[in-house]
């Protein structure tokens, strides 16, 4: 069963027509209905619910009562809503489930109204808009036939786990999320709403999809499974530069780079247990009679390397890193959304062995700062993302000052998710989350302190007395998935574009950094000379040798977000200068080529370089889309 729960000022409906051949019989009075100050519960009864309808009813009532108590609602509107699922139960089963839910809620003391089943209805509602006002829930009957490989206990527990939500200020004040004044923190409000509702389905296309297609960066691949994309030359260049940048940052931080397999044995005892502690859906492949799963992170391979290694306390903290191209998670089809949520993605993944909690927390703080530095390099500042910190109540009581320091470092309020007890393998976790133009959030950087897997995988180190001990392990991705970084960059530019600011890639990531535009064929030799000098300075440059008019060539460069456009004519050729249009400030200046080279080099110093991904001359380029 799928449920969407909306705390509303009112909900009213009016029956319009039959949706089923034999809908529920209703009276004239039931053709309209309204309740005020109500918890509206939109429901889809699913095919899986047919295995144990009574259990689904019991679980649904518990969830509804829990939400009603949180929002202090004593009126419930049960509303059949088939659009929440594509795998609906038989109509007779669905109606009985809805009737029983209505009955049990009335027995619990609620004022209940149920919209009739099997009709097209017009409805109006007014959502209250606080962080708990929009929530979604999924009910899964235990009798559903799910294979051992497909069942993931962590995912099931994540649905059931009760979270307590707060906002923590840099001054150390912990405020219940519904009592926090979000004035001046609208992005944090959107993030809190998204996290608490747990609704991950994208109901329309986010703006970055249009941009990735228009710029011929990334495209859908109809010949593969959903969420597996193709990259055109410019997109591959951006992705490759990001991969190189993050890898260099992590190695500079002190990690050792390794490479591990992408598939693992389901029957491996440590791996089997870990699968049920990590909330991710697996791809399953067969080799002969054995079943394997495709990795969804670099944990497995790195843990097995650490298990076989001889590690001394002198080696700690020990950092190991892999750029996984690819990791795989079999996300639900409705959750797939451009570059935001994929089934195959590239994850920079570092794991650090720490001797104890003190050392682990010291590393955690360093990696928190490392993540901020990495995102700053790709053009994302703390103003562009929101922070979530997650832990148990016991960890908060024992380490309050440490958590408050994290809020001070970022310099703004952060969202807190607290649990009464720990279920997952970690005791502390942070994420930097980008909130996009559809108010959906996606985690970028993250670090977790893992207290279980060293023992589970048999990872030990020798202490000062020569005795073996189990360490703690930190999981760190200082950027998050590379595709997510591309998504965040494009969504940020879409926001700027909507505000009237010219969008642009960070200069070091621009597929073409300079375009040379000759005003006529007679200065083509000089245009090629200028391009050669720039290319010799490791600057990506191309030449518009098409027969278009000058104004059209410049408009084309604008549309492609080219940072620098050089116009060369007879005057520039004779004087040995260039006329430069800067995208950043819109100015046009005449300058010496060497001065332009110095200006560009000063901005890309310290970042990775890759050569131009396409032919030098625009006339030689294929068109990949349309």
């Amino acid at each position: 069963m799928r449920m969407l729960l909306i705390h509303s000022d009112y909900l009213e409906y009016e029956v319009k027509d039959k949706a089923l051949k034999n809908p529920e019989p209703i009276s004239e009075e039931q053709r309209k209905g309204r309740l005020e100050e109500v918890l509206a519960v939109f429901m889809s009864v699913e095919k899986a619910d047919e295995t144990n309808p009574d259990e689904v009813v019991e679980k649904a009532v518990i969830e509804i009562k829990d939400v009603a108590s949180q929002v202090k609602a004593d009126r419930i509107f049960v509303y059949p809503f088939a659009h929440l699922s594509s795998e609906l139960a038989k109509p007779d089963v669905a109606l009985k489930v809805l009737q029983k839910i209505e009955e049990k809620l009335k027995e619990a003391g609620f004022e209940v109204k149920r919209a009739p089943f099997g009709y097209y209805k017009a409805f109006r509602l007014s959502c209250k808009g606080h962080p708990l006002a929009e929530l979604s829930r999924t009910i899964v009957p235990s009798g559903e036939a799910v294979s051992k490989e497909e069942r993931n206990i962590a995912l099931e527990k994540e649905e059931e786990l009760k979270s307590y939500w707060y906002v923590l200020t840099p001054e150390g004040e912990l405020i219940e999320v519904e009592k926090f004044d979000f004035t001046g923190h609208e992005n944090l409000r959107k993030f809190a709403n998204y996290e608490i509702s747990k609704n991950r389905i994208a109901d329309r296309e986010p703006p970055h999809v249009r941009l990735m297609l228009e710029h011929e960066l990334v495209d859908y691949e109809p010949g593969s499974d959903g969420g597996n994309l193709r990259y055109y030359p410019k997109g591959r260049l951006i992705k490759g530069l990001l991969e190189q940048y993050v890898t260099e940052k992590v190695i500079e931080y002190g990690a050792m780079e390794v490479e591990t397999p992408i598939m693992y044995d389901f029957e491996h005892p440590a791996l089997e247990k870990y699968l049920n502690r990590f909330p991710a859906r697996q791809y399953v492949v067969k080799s002969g009679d054995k079943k394997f799963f495709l990795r969804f992170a670099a944990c497995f391979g790195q843990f097995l390397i650490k298990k076989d290694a001889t590690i001394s306390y002198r080696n700690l903290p020990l950092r190991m890193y892999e750029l996984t191209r690819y990791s795989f998670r079999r996300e639900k089809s409705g959750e797939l959304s451009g570059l935001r949520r994929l089934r195959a993605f590239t994850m920079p993944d570092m794991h650090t062995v720490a001797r104890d909690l003190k050392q682990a927390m010291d590393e955690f703080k360093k990696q928190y700062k490392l993540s901020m530095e990495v995102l700053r390099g790709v053009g994302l500042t703390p103003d562009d993302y929101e922070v979530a910190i997650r832990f148990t109540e016991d960890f908060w009581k024992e380490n309050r000052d440490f958590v408050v320091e994290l809020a001070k470092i970022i310099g703004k309020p952060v969202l807190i998710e607290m649990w009464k007890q720990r279920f997952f393998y970690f005791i502390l976790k942070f994420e930097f989350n980008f909130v996009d133009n559809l108010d959906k959030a996606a985690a970028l950087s993250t670090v977790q302190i893992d207290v279980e897997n060293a023992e589970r995988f048999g990872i030990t180190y020798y202490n000062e007395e020569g005795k073996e001990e189990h360490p703690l392990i930190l999981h760190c991705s200082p950027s998050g998935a590379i595709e997510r970084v591309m998504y965040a960059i494009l969504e940020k530019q879409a926001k700027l574009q909507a505000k009237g600011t010219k969008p642009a890639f960070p200069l070091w990531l621009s597929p073409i950094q300079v375009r040379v535009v000759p005003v006529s064929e007679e200065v083509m030799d000089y245009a090629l000379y200028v391009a050669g000098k720039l290319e010799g300075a490791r600057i990506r440059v191309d030449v518009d040798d098409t027969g278009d008019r000058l104004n059209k060539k410049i408009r084309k460069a604008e549309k492609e977000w080219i940072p620098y456009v050089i116009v060369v004519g007879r005057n520039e050729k004779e004087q040995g200068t260039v006329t430069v249009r800067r995208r950043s400030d819109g100015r046009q200046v005449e300058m010496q080529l060497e001065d332009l080279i110095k200006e560009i080099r000063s901005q890309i110093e310290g970042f990775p370089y890759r050569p131009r991904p396409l032919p030098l001359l625009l006339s030689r380029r294929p068109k990949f889309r349309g």
Side-chain angles (χ1 to χ4, degrees):
M1 172 182 283
R2 305 273 176 174
M3 296 194 296
L4 178 62
L5 303 98
I6 301 179
H7 191 204
S8 307
D9 297 312
Y10 69 87
L11 170 62
E12 62 183 17
Y13 74 87
E14 180 181 357
V15 169
K16 294 295 184 180
D17 201 356
K18 291 181 181 180
L20 296 175
K21 186 176 180 181
N22 297 305
E24 172 186 14
I26 58 172
S27 65
E28 190 61 32
E29 185 183 353
Q30 289 173 292
R31 296 185 70 83
K32 291 183 179 181
R34 177 183 171 108
L35 271 184
E36 297 183 356
E37 297 299 322
V38 64
L39 178 63
V41 185
F42 293 85
M43 295 184 176
S44 285
V45 184
E46 298 183 290
K47 191 171 183 62
D49 301 333
E50 295 175 1
T51 61
N52 197 337
D54 291 338
E55 181 190 6
V56 170
V57 170
E58 293 295 332
K59 286 184 173 181
V61 169
I62 289 169
E63 289 287 353
I64 294 167
K65 287 166 67 176
D66 178 56
V67 174
S69 69
Q70 291 184 60
V71 300
K72 299 178 175 55
D74 52 18
R75 295 189 181 98
I76 308 291
F77 211 131
V78 176
Y79 200 104
F81 200 66
H83 309 291
L84 294 176
S85 176
S86 59
E87 298 184 357
L88 297 172
K90 295 174 184 175
D92 59 329
V93 175
L95 178 57
K96 286 177 184 176
V97 167
L98 293 167
Q99 289 171 331
K100 287 183 179 179
I101 288 172
E102 177 188 13
E103 179 185 326
K104 287 187 176 292
L105 288 171
K106 285 179 177 176
E107 290 173 0
F110 291 97
E111 180 183 345
V112 184
K113 183 177 284 292
R114 179 174 59 80
F117 179 83
Y119 296 88
Y120 295 117
K121 299 177 287 290
F123 71 87
R124 298 184 186 87
L125 88 165
S126 172
C127 176
K128 288 187 175 292
H130 58 73
L132 295 173
E134 300 173 61
L135 302 170
S136 63
R137 295 289 184 266
T138 302
I139 307 296
V140 181
S142 56
E144 183 182 356
V146 178
S147 73
K148 173 184 172 185
E149 292 80 11
E150 292 177 320
R151 185 166 179 261
N152 186 295
I153 295 171
L155 277 169
E156 294 173 11
K157 288 292 183 183
E158 190 175 44
E159 293 284 352
E160 299 171 9
L161 209 58
K162 184 170 178 58
S163 299
Y164 297 86
W165 297 94
Y166 303 89
V167 173
L168 176 65
T169 70
E171 295 73 37
E173 190 177 4
L174 189 70
I175 305 166
E176 292 178 22
V177 73
E178 59 269 24
K179 296 178 181 176
F180 181 73
D181 181 5
F182 284 95
T183 304
H185 303 287
E186 293 306 316
N187 217 41
L188 180 60
R189 182 202 299 274
K190 292 174 183 177
F191 175 51
N193 287 340
Y194 176 81
E195 283 295 296
I196 295 168
S197 73
K198 297 187 183 295
N199 180 14
R200 304 300 184 246
I201 295 174
D203 55 0
R204 61 190 191 277
E205 186 178 87
H208 82 272
V209 173
R210 173 180 56 81
L211 294 176
M212 77 185 197
L213 297 174
E214 280 181 0
H215 286 268
E216 293 192 331
L217 304 177
V218 190
D219 206 343
Y220 298 109
E221 177 48 77
S224 183
D225 188 23
N228 289 256
L229 304 180
R230 62 166 72 154
Y231 289 80
Y232 300 125
K234 289 194 290 185
R236 178 60 210 140
L237 175 118
I238 292 175
K239 187 167 183 280
L241 284 171
L242 287 168
E243 292 168 351
Q244 189 176 342
Y245 168 70
V246 178
T247 297
E248 287 177 2
K249 282 290 186 185
V250 175
I251 291 173
E252 181 184 302
Y253 178 71
M256 300 173 287
E257 189 173 12
V258 298
E259 184 176 330
T260 61
I262 67 166
M263 68 174 70
Y264 293 88
D265 184 357
F266 258 112
E267 302 303 323
H268 188 290
L271 296 177
E272 184 180 24
K273 289 176 183 175
Y274 185 45
L275 287 177
N276 285 326
R277 305 295 279 159
F278 197 105
R281 303 172 186 86
Q282 298 89 40
Y283 271 99
V284 181
V285 297
K286 285 192 73 175
S287 178
D289 294 331
K290 296 196 73 172
K291 285 188 176 179
F292 296 81
F293 65 92
L294 300 183
R295 67 178 177 196
F296 44 80
C299 309
F300 318 107
Q302 291 189 28
F303 288 172
L304 294 173
I305 289 176
K306 290 177 173 71
K307 172 187 178 296
D308 293 336
T310 302
I311 303 171
S312 163
Y313 71 94
R314 295 187 184 89
N315 306 135
L316 305 183
L318 186 149
R319 308 175 186 107
M320 197 173 286
Y321 167 79
E322 180 176 4
L323 180 77
T324 67
R325 193 189 305 126
Y326 286 94
S327 291
F328 299 88
R329 298 188 188 182
R330 197 165 50 82
E331 305 287 22
K332 296 176 183 176
S333 58
E335 296 175 346
L336 300 177
S337 179
L339 290 161
R340 182 174 76 87
R341 207 170 183 93
L342 298 168
R343 286 177 173 162
F345 53 93
T346 306
M347 180 67 79
D349 215 348
M350 174 171 66
H351 293 86
T352 304
V353 176
R355 64 181 300 165
D356 53 28
L357 186 57
K358 182 178 181 301
Q359 189 175 71
M361 288 169 64
D362 182 57
E363 275 293 300
F364 188 96
K365 184 163 64 175
K366 289 177 182 176
Q367 292 175 15
Y368 184 86
K369 292 177 179 177
L370 171 67
S371 299
M372 291 175 66
E373 181 185 344
V374 167
L375 292 188
R376 192 174 291 111
V378 302
L380 300 173
T381 70
D383 290 338
D384 297 315
Y385 53 83
E386 299 300 330
V387 183
I389 307 177
R390 309 174 197 271
F391 44 73
T392 61
E393 189 173 39
D394 286 344
F395 185 89
W396 168 251
K397 289 175 180 176
E398 294 167 13
N399 302 283
R400 180 185 181 114
D401 291 346
F402 178 80
V403 179
V404 171
E405 189 178 357
L406 298 177
K408 285 180 180 175
I409 291 169
I410 205 72
K412 63 179 185 177
V414 303
L415 183 67
I416 298 295
E417 183 178 17
M418 191 184 300
W419 302 293
K420 290 289 184 186
Q421 58 199 26
R422 179 177 66 84
F423 168 74
F424 299 115
Y425 55 85
F426 55 83
I427 55 170
L428 174 65
K429 175 183 182 180
F430 88 78
E431 301 141 19
F432 294 157
N433 295 268
F434 185 85
V435 181
D436 65 21
N437 292 272
L438 302 185
D439 297 343
K440 299 289 185 182
L444 300 172
S445 316
T446 183
V447 179
Q448 309 161 7
I449 297 180
D450 177 347
V451 296
E452 289 186 3
N453 283 303
E455 186 171 353
R456 178 174 291 117
F457 281 81
I459 300 167
T460 62
Y461 75 95
Y462 289 93
N463 65 19
E464 292 89 336
E465 298 171 356
K467 295 180 180 177
E468 285 188 278
E469 292 188 32
H470 292 296
L472 299 182
I473 299 174
L474 287 89
H475 303 236
C476 170
S477 182
S479 63
I482 297 298
E483 296 82 359
R484 281 262 178 98
V485 176
M486 294 176 69
Y487 141 84
I489 291 170
L490 290 171
E491 285 285 327
K492 177 178 178 178
Q493 296 314 309
K495 288 184 182 183
L496 293 173
Q497 199 169 28
K499 293 176 181 177
T501 302
K502 283 186 177 181
F505 295 108
L507 183 58
W508 69 276
L509 283 174
S510 294
I512 299 299
Q513 294 161 326
V514 180
R515 173 158 296 165
V516 182
V517 178
V519 299
S520 65
E521 183 65 33
E522 65 179 296
V523 292
M524 180 60 72
D525 58 340
Y526 185 60
L528 293 172
Y529 165 79
V530 168
K533 293 287 284 186
L534 289 164
E535 199 156 61
R538 294 166 66 88
I539 293 169
R540 288 186 293 276
V541 58
D542 62 14
V543 178
D544 190 343
D545 65 330
T546 63
D548 295 332
R549 292 187 175 185
L550 179 62
N551 285 344
K552 186 173 181 181
K553 289 181 178 183
I554 291 171
R555 285 198 302 273
K556 194 192 315 175
E558 285 281 322
K559 192 176 178 182
E560 293 180 43
W561 302 358
I562 305 294
Y564 291 88
V565 178
I566 295 177
V567 178
V568 294
R570 186 182 301 171
N571 185 57
E572 285 83 6
K573 180 177 179 179
E574 290 173 356
Q575 296 185 18
T577 60
V578 289
T579 299
V580 181
R581 291 171 179 258
R582 291 194 191 93
R583 183 174 181 80
S584 59
D585 59 14
R587 293 179 59 206
Q588 180 171 307
V589 294
E590 189 173 324
M591 60 197 306
Q592 296 294 318
L593 184 56
E594 290 304 319
D595 292 334
L596 176 62
I597 289 171
K598 286 177 185 176
E599 179 178 321
I600 295 173
R601 292 296 308 164
S602 69
Q603 296 177 65
I604 61 177
E605 193 69 38
F607 290 104
Y609 166 78
R610 286 192 171 200
R612 183 187 60 253
L614 292 161
L616 174 67
L617 301 177
L618 267 62
S619 64
R620 301 286 181 89
R621 293 183 186 174
K623 188 167 178 56
F624 292 100
R625 299 196 79 254

